[in-house]
Amino acid sequence: MATISHSSVAFTGATASDLFRSSSSGANGVPLKALGRAGFLTKRREFAVTAKLRKWKKHEYPWPDDADSNVKGGVLTHLSHFKPLKQKPKPVTLEFEKPLIDLEKKIIDVRKMADETGLDFSDQIALLENKYQQALKDLYIRLTPIQRVNIARHPNRPTFLDHVFSITDKFVELHGDRAGYDDPAIVTGIGTVDGRRMMFMGHQKGRNTKENIQRNFGMPTPHGYRKALRMMYYADHHGFPIVTFIDTPGAFADLKSEELGQGEAIAHNLRTMFGLKVPILSIVIGEGGSGGALAIGCANKLLMLENAVFYVASPEACAAILWKTAKASPKAAEKLKITATELCKLQIADGVIPEPLGGAHADPSWTSQQIKLAINETMDELEKMNTPDLLEHRRLKFRKIGGFQEGIPVDPKRKFNMKKKDEPVTGSTSNVELEDEVEKVKQQILKAKESSTTAPEVAMNEMIEKLKREVDHEFLEAVKALGLKDRFAALHEEFSKVNSQDQLMNPVLMDKITKLKEEFNQGLSGAPNYANLKYKLDMLKEFSKAKTLSESNDKTTTMKQEINQKFKEITSRPDIKEKMEAIKAAVQDSGASNFEDLDEELQEKIVMMKKEIESEVTNILKSMGLEVEVVKSHAKELSEQTSYFKGKMDDLNEEINKKLEDVINSSDLKNEVELLKLERAKAEKNPDMTSKSKIEALEQQIKQRLSEAINSSELKVKHGELLEEIAEAIKSPEGFDGSVKNEHPNEDTSKHDGSRVEVNMGANRSFA
């Protein structure tokens, strides 16, 4: 048996893991470190063999004794490739943020001046900072879709691991797909949030050029999706809820990835996620592109940061396909509906997580805390569900996208929009643009009314002409959609020939036109553009009515001014003025306060003066082509008639009240009223159906007795006589109101356009 010679080494303090035990070598209790230092010699068959321990390369992870004490998260945080950056990232200004640079420069210059001069510029600095914050707020409240895309791609935007280390108490990264590769573009690991253990996985972008190259710019290969799949199975086995963070332009689409089964890996993930029995939450923190995002996004809930985007194709790719140029990306971003707000309306996303002004990179810590709150709130909701409900909830979330149901007829408008258009329709204005133009014209008209000026006729006429063109265009489109274009063209040609030859209309042609018109009217409601046609036609009618009313008002105002001018000329004539002054002086000398108190001679003079003026005015009105109708005042007679009928009605009311009092005071009805009171008192204490029916019967009986008293033959006759008398007064030739009635009651007076003037003979008022 071979013997081992070694130097004397102290074994005190050696741990169990440091001891090397081997019965075959005949050495017991020899420390491994001692063997490494001293070596050992084996004498066998006169050969000397020397063996030394191989020196292992130090692990690349920073172990606890090397950990940076300034980084929060504990020891396990550092078991990852992800390390804090030694230098802060350089600030990056997006194109639409450039107007804010001037304010920033002013603030820096004022602070520099304050430091150099020692003067107090705190007020100016505060004013500039407030102005900057207000400008920043105005800018970020009105962001366009393409601007949100740029914010989602911001180089300094916090990444998946930035958020994970901020929201977790402990986090351990798990590597490898167990098939020979570890894709750095997808990071997975187990972490705890407020004591709740979860499986985290997400796309990881770089924070600088070096990291982006290492992380492949956040674009995973098939190995990354298989690593995520392995962790999903692991979480499902141990019952860990899964939280995924989406931030990728899309899966890496190179030749090698396709050879390794990129599509198969994504499809496998999609199928597997719908069968996992644990809650799944997905959060879009940047951009979520195509199947590369969906491969870890089949969740029960999909949340998005305020400035995140989620799309099938990037705006640049969409613009290149549809408009043949990437410069149309702003238009494509708007049409794609890729922002968080739009996706929530479409029920694709389930909620929006707020970001600070300036984007998530302006305050990453605050953003992470908002994500943490959303995770806790969502998990509280999902963990209440049992497994079947959880799976059904996840399935229905994706089944309802699009809102399509078989068997329901497609709306004609939607069906029309789905048809392929050979070329864009020209000469048609959208309802939104047309509504804006109409609103502007309405505002001009309202301003003109408020300032008592004439309405803007030019703008109104232009709008009416435009609406006519739009209505004609919509009618033509409706004819095309209903398949009547050829028939309309043929009939139009026939009608033009007949019209040009001054011939009588052929009854056959008239019949064809009538039938085609009826067919068009019947099918018009089913035309795809019927809603647009009706909307524009209603606006045209409204404007035409407003124009007619405006012209009528203008004509009436002009006529009224002309009449007032003529009346002023009559009263200003020397002879008329002299007579009026003489009559006025005579009235003042008499000291009478009423016309009746004047003597007969003076009354006759006043009446003659009025007749003379009225005759002059009538002649002027007739010379203007107006129809003059003299209306005599019967105000005194009206007052007398009103007083007469009022007295008669009061007498009839008194008689009715007296009759009611007699009936109520009769012994029978009095007993019934007392009985009703008693039943109501009983019902308040013990309400039941019997008491209720008794009360209703008593009330009905009392009402019937009172009705019989009122409808007695004597009162009924008097009431009928009074009604007949009032009716006769109304039907009298002078009318109840003392005015001369229109001889043609069915004739629309508005057709006269103000050409009919009534002259009141008894009213002392001017035409003004």
Side-chain angles (χ1 to χ4, degrees):
M1 214 166 170
T3 58
I4 300 175
S5 64
H6 55 80
S7 60
S8 176
V9 180
F11 296 126
T12 57
T15 61
S17 61
D18 290 333
L19 297 179
F20 178 79
R21 303 182 184 274
S22 175
S23 58
S24 61
S25 63
N28 290 316
V30 181
L32 186 62
K33 291 181 180 179
L35 292 176
R37 284 195 300 269
F40 57 89
L41 181 65
T42 304
K43 293 180 180 180
R44 188 176 183 182
R45 297 182 184 178
E46 298 180 356
F47 286 99
V49 179
T50 304
K52 292 184 180 180
L53 284 179
R54 177 173 170 264
K55 289 186 178 179
W56 293 92
K57 184 181 177 182
K58 186 177 179 181
H59 203 283
E60 59 182 345
Y61 295 148
W63 296 103
D65 53 347
D66 302 316
D68 187 353
S69 59
N70 295 321
V71 179
K72 297 179 181 179
V75 171
L76 294 178
T77 302
H78 302 282
L79 301 180
S80 170
H81 295 294
F82 191 80
K83 301 174 186 177
L85 290 175
K86 295 179 181 178
Q87 295 179 350
K88 288 185 178 181
K90 294 180 181 179
V92 177
T93 303
L94 299 175
E95 187 67 30
F96 67 91
E97 292 178 324
K98 287 184 178 178
L100 300 173
I101 295 177
D102 295 336
L103 284 171
E104 288 181 352
K105 286 181 178 178
K106 285 181 182 179
I107 294 170
I108 292 169
D109 291 342
V110 172
R111 282 178 177 165
K112 187 177 180 182
M113 190 184 299
D115 293 338
E116 290 175 354
T117 59
L119 298 174
D120 185 15
F121 289 101
S122 57
D123 293 341
Q124 289 83 348
I125 292 171
L127 185 65
L128 286 171
E129 286 179 345
N130 289 337
K131 194 174 180 181
Y132 176 82
Q133 288 298 325
Q134 186 60 41
L136 183 68
K137 184 178 179 182
D138 294 340
L139 182 64
Y140 270 81
I141 283 175
R142 299 177 179 85
L143 288 173
T144 61
I146 194 64
Q147 288 172 348
R148 293 193 187 275
V149 172
N150 292 331
I151 296 172
R153 295 171 177 171
H154 198 285
N156 298 338
R157 193 170 177 85
T159 62
F160 162 56
L161 286 173
D162 286 317
H163 290 304
V164 164
F165 288 147
S166 296
I167 67 179
T168 56
D169 308 320
K170 294 180 181 179
F171 178 77
V172 179
E173 184 178 345
L174 303 175
H175 297 271
D177 62 349
R178 294 299 184 267
Y181 196 80
D182 180 26
D183 187 358
I186 283 190
V187 175
T188 60
I190 300 175
T192 57
V193 179
D194 295 338
R196 181 186 284 163
R197 189 177 289 105
M198 301 179 191
M199 174 64 74
F200 291 91
M201 59 185 68
H203 303 98
Q204 177 62 28
K205 287 184 177 179
R207 295 164 294 177
N208 50 42
T209 306
K210 183 180 178 182
E211 284 191 8
N212 267 322
I213 293 171
Q214 180 192 353
R215 300 282 183 181
N216 200 29
F217 294 86
M219 295 185 290
T221 61
H223 305 289
Y225 294 120
R226 288 172 183 139
K227 176 167 73 169
L229 182 65
R230 182 175 78 86
M231 298 308 167
M232 289 177 194
Y233 282 129
Y234 183 85
D236 189 49
H237 176 74
H238 292 283
F240 299 157
I242 299 173
V243 182
T244 67
F245 286 72
I246 298 171
D247 186 15
T248 179
F252 192 49
D254 68 330
L255 180 61
K256 188 70 175 175
S257 296
E258 295 300 331
E259 288 176 351
L260 293 172
Q262 183 74 282
E264 184 272 341
I266 292 173
H268 198 171
N269 279 27
L270 297 179
R271 185 183 67 181
T272 303
M273 290 189 80
F274 281 104
L276 298 178
K277 299 175 183 178
V278 293
I280 306 176
L281 168 65
S282 291
I283 303 172
V284 185
I285 59 173
E287 56 178 336
S290 190
L294 199 60
I296 59 170
C298 296
N300 293 92
K301 293 275 187 178
L302 176 69
L303 305 180
M304 295 180 68
L305 285 181
E306 187 178 349
N307 295 316
V309 289
F310 197 53
Y311 48 71
V312 174
S314 66
E316 293 81 6
C318 177
I321 295 168
L322 297 181
W323 290 280
K324 308 302 181 186
T325 173
K327 292 181 180 179
S329 55
K331 187 177 180 181
E334 184 179 354
K335 298 294 183 184
L336 283 170
K337 308 293 183 187
I338 57 178
T339 59
T341 316
E342 293 289 348
L343 291 172
C344 281
K345 289 179 183 177
L346 296 171
Q347 296 185 350
I348 294 172
D350 299 295
V352 180
I353 301 173
E355 291 186 29
L357 289 176
H361 54 279
D363 193 348
S365 178
W366 187 86
T367 309
S368 297
Q369 291 308 308
Q370 298 303 311
I371 293 174
K372 182 178 180 179
L373 291 173
I375 290 173
N376 284 331
E377 184 179 343
T378 307
M379 286 302 171
D380 288 341
E381 178 186 348
L382 294 178
E383 287 181 351
K384 292 177 182 177
M385 299 182 187
N386 55 35
T387 302
D389 291 342
L390 197 68
L391 293 172
E392 184 66 10
H393 178 271
R394 195 179 307 148
R395 187 185 71 85
L396 290 177
K397 171 178 170 51
F398 287 87
R399 289 296 295 169
K400 73 179 179 182
I401 292 175
F404 178 79
Q405 293 182 16
E406 286 190 39
I408 296 177
V410 181
D411 181 58
K413 185 177 179 181
R414 287 181 59 194
K415 190 174 180 181
F416 174 75
N417 290 338
M418 281 189 260
K419 290 181 180 178
K420 184 180 178 181
K421 296 180 181 179
D422 297 333
E423 56 184 18
V425 180
T426 56
S428 179
T429 308
S430 66
N431 288 351
V432 178
E433 295 175 359
L434 199 62
E435 193 172 348
D436 292 340
E437 293 180 21
V438 168
E439 192 62 33
K440 287 179 184 177
V441 177
K442 284 183 178 179
Q443 291 298 328
Q444 291 178 15
I445 295 171
L446 288 174
K447 287 180 182 177
K449 285 184 178 179
E450 290 174 1
S451 57
S452 301
T453 58
T454 57
E457 294 182 3
V458 177
M460 190 181 293
N461 291 335
E462 287 179 356
M463 180 52 63
I464 288 173
E465 290 300 322
K466 183 168 185 177
L467 286 171
K468 284 180 179 178
R469 291 195 300 271
E470 292 291 329
V471 168
D472 290 342
H473 176 77
E474 294 295 343
F475 267 115
L476 185 60
E477 290 299 316
V479 169
K480 290 179 183 177
L482 295 174
L484 303 175
K485 184 181 177 182
D486 296 336
R487 291 173 62 186
F488 263 99
L491 280 178
H492 180 70
E493 189 176 350
E494 287 185 41
F495 180 79
S496 300
K497 286 180 181 179
V498 172
N499 199 23
S500 62
Q501 296 174 4
D502 294 333
Q503 297 177 359
L504 292 174
M505 184 69 68
N506 191 341
V508 178
L509 181 60
M510 284 290 294
D511 188 42
K512 285 182 181 179
I513 293 172
T514 305
K515 285 183 178 179
L516 185 58
K517 187 177 178 181
E518 290 176 357
E519 187 177 348
F520 176 74
N521 289 334
Q522 287 176 0
L524 184 59
S525 59
N529 63 331
Y530 176 70
N532 289 343
L533 173 61
K534 190 174 183 303
Y535 177 73
K536 292 175 182 178
L537 196 59
D538 290 342
M539 280 200 292
L540 178 60
K541 288 179 181 178
E542 185 181 347
F543 266 92
S544 300
K545 187 177 179 181
K547 184 183 177 183
T548 305
L549 187 62
S550 176
E551 290 175 351
S552 176
N553 290 339
D554 292 343
K555 189 175 179 181
T556 304
T557 304
T558 305
M559 190 176 291
K560 192 182 288 186
Q561 291 174 354
E562 192 174 348
I563 291 171
N564 285 336
Q565 182 66 28
K566 296 287 184 183
F567 183 76
K568 192 175 181 182
E569 289 175 3
I570 292 170
T571 55
S572 300
R573 273 170 41 188
D575 54 338
I576 300 290
K577 195 172 184 180
E578 186 178 350
K579 290 179 183 179
M580 289 177 68
E581 292 292 336
I583 291 173
K584 190 176 180 181
V587 170
Q588 288 178 353
D589 293 340
S590 67
S593 58
N594 295 322
F595 181 77
E596 289 79 6
D597 297 338
L598 297 173
D599 56 6
E600 292 182 1
E601 184 180 356
L602 192 55
Q603 285 182 0
E604 188 177 351
K605 283 183 179 180
I606 292 172
V607 171
M608 291 299 294
M609 186 71 211
K610 285 174 64 178
K611 285 183 178 179
E612 185 178 352
I613 293 173
E614 286 169 358
S615 176
E616 293 284 346
V617 172
T618 303
N619 291 332
I620 290 171
L621 295 177
K622 286 182 178 179
S623 66
M624 294 171 64
L626 299 174
E627 180 187 349
V628 181
E629 182 177 343
V630 179
V631 180
K632 295 183 179 181
S633 175
H634 295 276
K636 186 175 180 181
E637 294 177 11
L638 174 63
S639 177
E640 290 175 358
Q641 285 183 357
T642 305
S643 301
Y644 170 74
F645 287 121
K646 190 173 184 300
K648 280 208 166 192
M649 283 189 283
D650 290 340
D651 293 341
L652 184 59
N653 284 334
E654 280 184 21
E655 196 168 346
I656 291 170
N657 290 333
K658 188 176 180 183
K659 188 74 175 174
L660 288 174
E661 285 179 8
D662 293 341
V663 173
I664 291 169
N665 291 329
S666 65
S667 58
D668 295 341
L669 192 61
K670 204 168 186 179
N671 292 335
E672 289 178 0
V673 171
E674 292 296 330
L675 186 60
L676 177 62
K677 289 180 181 178
L678 184 62
E679 288 293 336
R680 282 187 173 173
K682 288 180 181 178
E684 286 179 2
K685 295 180 180 179
N686 297 315
D688 56 0
M689 293 302 294
T690 307
S691 301
K692 190 175 179 182
S693 59
K694 283 184 179 180
I695 291 170
E696 289 177 356
L698 286 169
E699 286 177 349
Q700 190 67 25
Q701 196 171 350
I702 292 168
K703 285 178 183 177
Q704 189 175 356
R705 292 285 296 276
L706 291 174
S707 178
E708 289 173 0
I710 293 172
N711 292 329
S712 64
S713 58
E714 186 182 350
L715 292 175
K716 205 168 185 178
V717 169
K718 287 184 179 180
H719 183 258
E721 289 175 354
L722 183 59
L723 287 178
E724 287 179 4
E725 198 170 347
I726 293 171
E728 287 295 330
I730 292 172
K731 290 178 182 177
S732 63
E734 296 178 349
F736 188 70
D737 58 352
S739 63
V740 179
K741 282 181 169 274
N742 189 359
E743 295 179 1
H744 306 285
N746 296 326
E747 186 177 353
D748 188 2
T749 56
S750 63
K751 293 180 182 177
H752 293 295
D753 294 330
S755 61
R756 181 174 176 275
V757 179
E758 294 182 354
V759 181
N760 194 329
M761 300 283 288
N764 295 320
R765 63 187 180 91
S766 69
F767 284 88

